[in-house]
Structure formats: C-alpha cells, structure tokens
Amino acid sequence: MNRSIPLHSTLSLVPLGPGDLIDRAVRFYRKNFVTFILIAAPPVIAGTAIAVAWTMIGRTFFISKSSYDPIETTAYYLFAFLGSTIIGFTETVATLSVMGGASRNFVRHLLFGETVTFRETYRNVWQRLAGLVVSSSIISILLTIIGGFIFYFGLIIGILLAVAAAAVLTSVPTLAFIVGLVIAVASFIAAAWLFFLIASRFAFVPQVLMVEGQSVGGSISRSARLAGGSVKRLAALFIFTTVATYSALAILYVPLAWYAWLQGIELFALDRDLIPAWYEIASQLVWQASLILMTPVWMVGLCLLYVDERVRREGYDIELMAARRLGDIPSVPKGYVNPLQPALGERPVPIPVQVPSTGRSSITTLGLE
C-alpha cells in the first residue's frame, strides 16, 4: 500500500454539532458533486428500470378494458404495491452497500488525501459484497419492523390521550382542541425520538464493516456501542435530507403535474386508463432523480458522523495522524483481542502458505517492513 502523503493533504477533525455535520456534508458533496452522482446513480437507475418494467407489465395484464373495472383496478394496485415494496427494499439494500464502499474511500481521503472516485468505491463494495448485502438487509428489515411498530402504537396512544383530554375538557372546546393538539404533537415527537434512538444503533454498520474490516455480527455490535451519542445529529441529518429530497421532488414534479393538467389528465382518477403510461413512468423518473441528487448527502453525513463519534470516544484524530506517519496498528497473535480498533482495516487477503522458519523474524515494529 502506498502511504506517501500529498503535501496538500490535511487532517483537521473536530467534534461536530448537528449544524456543523450538515454544513460539512453539503460542502463536501458540492465539491465532489459529479463523482457522488455517479456513485449514487447505478442502484437507483437499476431500480428505476425495473420499476418502469413492472409498471408496464401491470398495465398490460390488469388494465385491458376501456371501462372502469374495480376488480382490475384493485388487482393493479396490489400488483404495483408488491412490486414497489420488493424494488424499494432491493434498492435500499444496494444503496446502503454503496454507502459502505464509499465510507472506506472517504476515510482514505481523510487519511491519505486520496480522491473519492467511482471506481474505488465500487471496488470496495465488490471486496465485501456478501457482508454488505447481509448487513444492509438486516438493517432494512429490522428498522422497517421497529419503525412500523413504534409509529403504529405511538399513533394509538396519542389518539387515546387526545380523546381523554377532550373528554375531560369538553366544557371548554378551545382548550380541549389545544391540549389535544399538543398531546398529538408530543406523541409524534416521542415516537420519532424512540425510533431514532434505536435506529442510531445500526447507523454505522456499513462503515464499521468496511473501515475496520469486522464481520457482520461484529459490525452490528460495534455500531451499537459506538453510536450512543449520535441520536440528535442522526435525526437532524435525516430531517435535512428528507426535506431536501422532497424539495427536489417538488421542483421536478410540479412542472410535470402542470403539464399533465394542461393536457387534461385526471391525476387522482381511480380509472388507470385515464392516466397515461408516460405520466406514471415520468413520475417514477422524477422520484428516482430526486433520490440520486440527495442520497450522497446522507451517505457523506453518515461517514462524517462515524468519524466524529470515533474522534469523540476514541481519539480517532490522533490515531489517524499516527497511522499516516507510522502505518497501521500491528495485528495481534491469533487468540488475542486487540483493544484498539484500526484506523483503516486491511482488506481480506488469502492466508499465506506456511513455510519453515529461517531463524529470521519478519515482525517489525508497527508492521513496517
């Protein structure tokens, strides 16, 4: 591995607040805009192509008559829902896997001043493809189940509390409305906070897997220990990227909706024959384009958050500077546990064939040859 450090490479790592995290992620994204678009595009483009094909198949099989048929329409919606669920899950897993590959490239950028590139990111993904797919699938399934459970019961509890407050304050309708609204908002915030408290424990699994070279189980355990103080910043990053994504969606979708309205298309019609295929396909393309634009911000933000947590908890900035000067932390003998996590774990390499000892030790200080 070439450890020569460019003269222009600097390493300045300080603890980041929510605003600093978002600001630095956006600035890094703007600086590498084209590269990040290329990195984020392949899984989204593949998902878009499959989604368009699924839509055309659904319209071919379930929209065959000129008159409105509720059975066919219901079957079409069920077919579309099933397809969007499977395609969305696969696209999410692929995106998380790419985020993991980009995280190693990002840390090498901090460590050695290397440029973040499409080729290096996908090379990293290919090196640990199985682990990335398994860990990303586990994260997606668990967070979907946990999120649905939390928000479902949070909604029920919020409604029950609001109804109870309205019953108690029925003689003062204005006060009952205000108290009910406050309870509803508080219930939503509490449910969201609980979700982010749990989700933050899985936030760094791809990063740990790729940067530290750990197994899937070790990455989940390590992420849970590392992410204890990142709830606020993870929530802020999620809110920012969500608002930005829907803002980009609105900028792209509103002109399309206006054009469709001028063409006399009934956008909210139940009869799918009244909505042409080109509009459905264009809507999917707009949604996917907004994801391509904003996914890199989430990707960079999580990488920055991972590095920041290690700076706060483990003096990661000192470790990175030492690694730049002295090389990686040396491996310990098999059967021992290294209390230090590597700044950048090595990629798996084939186990060398054992050869008879020549009497000369090949072990050098700090792993330097």
Side-chain angles (χ1 to χ4, degrees), residues 85-97 99 132-148 195 199 202-203 205-206 220:
T85 300
I86 296 175
I87 295 168
F89 173 78
T90 305
E91 191 173 316
T92 300
V93 170
T95 300
L96 289 174
S97 299
M99 287 169 55
L132 286 170
V133 170
V134 171
S135 61
S136 300
S137 300
I138 292 174
I139 294 172
S140 301
I141 294 172
L142 285 180
L143 291 186
T144 299
I145 295 173
I146 293 171
F195 172 75
F202 300 93
V205 173
I220 295 175

Side-chain angles (χ1 to χ4, degrees), residues 36-366:
F36 281 130
I37 292 298
L38 292 176
I39 291 173
V44 178
I45 291 175
T48 303
I50 297 173
V52 169
W54 191 269
T55 299
M56 298 305 298
I57 292 172
R59 293 183 69 90
T60 301
F61 282 96
F62 300 105
I63 309 295
S64 58
K65 298 179 181 180
S66 58
S67 60
Y68 172 69
D69 187 337
I71 297 178
E72 285 188 347
T73 301
T74 302
Y76 174 80
Y77 278 119
L78 291 175
F79 182 82
F81 174 77
L82 176 63
S84 62
T85 300
I86 296 175
I87 295 168
F89 173 78
T90 305
E91 191 173 316
T92 300
V93 170
T95 300
L96 289 174
S97 299
V98 172
M99 287 169 55
S103 65
R104 184 179 179 91
N105 200 184
F106 178 77
V107 172
R108 288 188 63 83
H109 169 77
L110 292 178
L111 187 58
F112 305 119
E114 293 185 0
T115 305
V116 177
T117 63
F118 175 90
R119 180 178 180 181
E120 184 64 23
T121 295
Y122 279 87
R123 179 169 175 262
N124 294 333
V125 173
W126 181 254
Q127 291 285 339
R128 298 295 303 274
L129 181 61
L132 286 170
V133 170
V134 171
S135 61
S136 300
S137 300
I138 292 174
I139 294 172
S140 301
I141 294 172
L142 285 180
L143 291 186
T144 299
I145 295 173
I146 293 171
F149 180 84
I150 290 175
F151 284 103
Y152 177 76
F153 282 96
L155 178 63
I156 292 177
I157 293 173
I159 291 175
L160 292 177
L161 291 177
V163 170
V168 172
L169 301 173
T170 185
S171 59
V172 189
T174 302
L175 182 60
F177 173 78
I178 294 175
V179 172
L181 182 61
V182 170
I183 290 175
V185 173
S187 300
F188 175 79
I189 294 175
W193 182 261
L194 180 59
F195 172 75
F196 283 114
L197 182 64
I198 297 174
S200 64
R201 299 303 190 266
F202 300 93
F204 304 141
V205 173
Q207 286 74 22
V208 173
L209 186 76
M210 294 302 301
V211 176
E212 301 178 25
Q214 297 201 26
S215 63
V216 173
S219 298
I220 295 175
S221 176
R222 166 77 168 152
S223 176
R225 294 195 306 269
L226 188 62
S230 60
V231 181
K232 289 183 180 179
R233 289 172 296 162
L234 182 66
L237 182 63
F238 177 82
I239 293 172
F240 172 79
T241 52
T242 301
V243 172
T245 299
Y246 279 97
S247 299
L249 178 64
I251 293 173
L252 298 172
Y253 183 77
V254 169
L256 175 65
W258 281 349
Y259 177 77
W261 179 72
L262 291 175
Q263 296 298 315
I265 298 174
E266 298 183 24
L267 302 181
F268 301 102
L270 294 177
D271 188 355
R272 306 309 298 177
D273 280 338
L274 298 178
I275 301 178
W278 70 262
Y279 178 78
E280 289 196 45
I281 294 173
S283 299
Q284 292 180 9
L285 292 177
V286 166
W287 169 249
Q288 301 296 342
S290 65
L291 290 181
I292 291 176
L293 289 174
M294 299 313 303
T295 297
V297 177
W298 178 253
M299 177 175 63
V300 174
L302 280 182
C303 291
L304 286 171
L305 193 57
Y306 164 76
V307 172
D308 181 72
E309 281 297 323
R310 292 196 64 181
V311 169
R312 291 170 180 263
R313 293 171 173 268
E314 303 172 347
Y316 193 43
D317 50 343
I318 305 300
E319 183 183 341
L320 287 176
M321 286 188 286
R324 292 177 65 187
R325 299 284 183 178
L326 304 175
D328 293 326
I329 297 174
S331 300
V332 297
K334 187 176 181 180
Y336 291 84
V337 176
N338 192 342
L340 302 176
Q341 299 297 331
L344 188 69
E346 296 292 339
R347 292 189 177 92
V349 296
I351 300 176
V353 178
Q354 297 293 332
V355 297
S357 174
T358 59
R360 179 179 177 270
S361 175
S362 60
I363 300 177
T364 60
T365 303
L366 293 179

Side-chain angles (χ1 to χ4, degrees), residues 16-27 232-233 236-237 240:
L16 302 175
D20 298 326
L21 174 68
I22 294 172
D23 176 68
R24 187 166 294 189
V26 171
R27 285 192 287 112
K232 289 183 180 179
R233 289 172 296 162
L237 182 63
F240 172 79

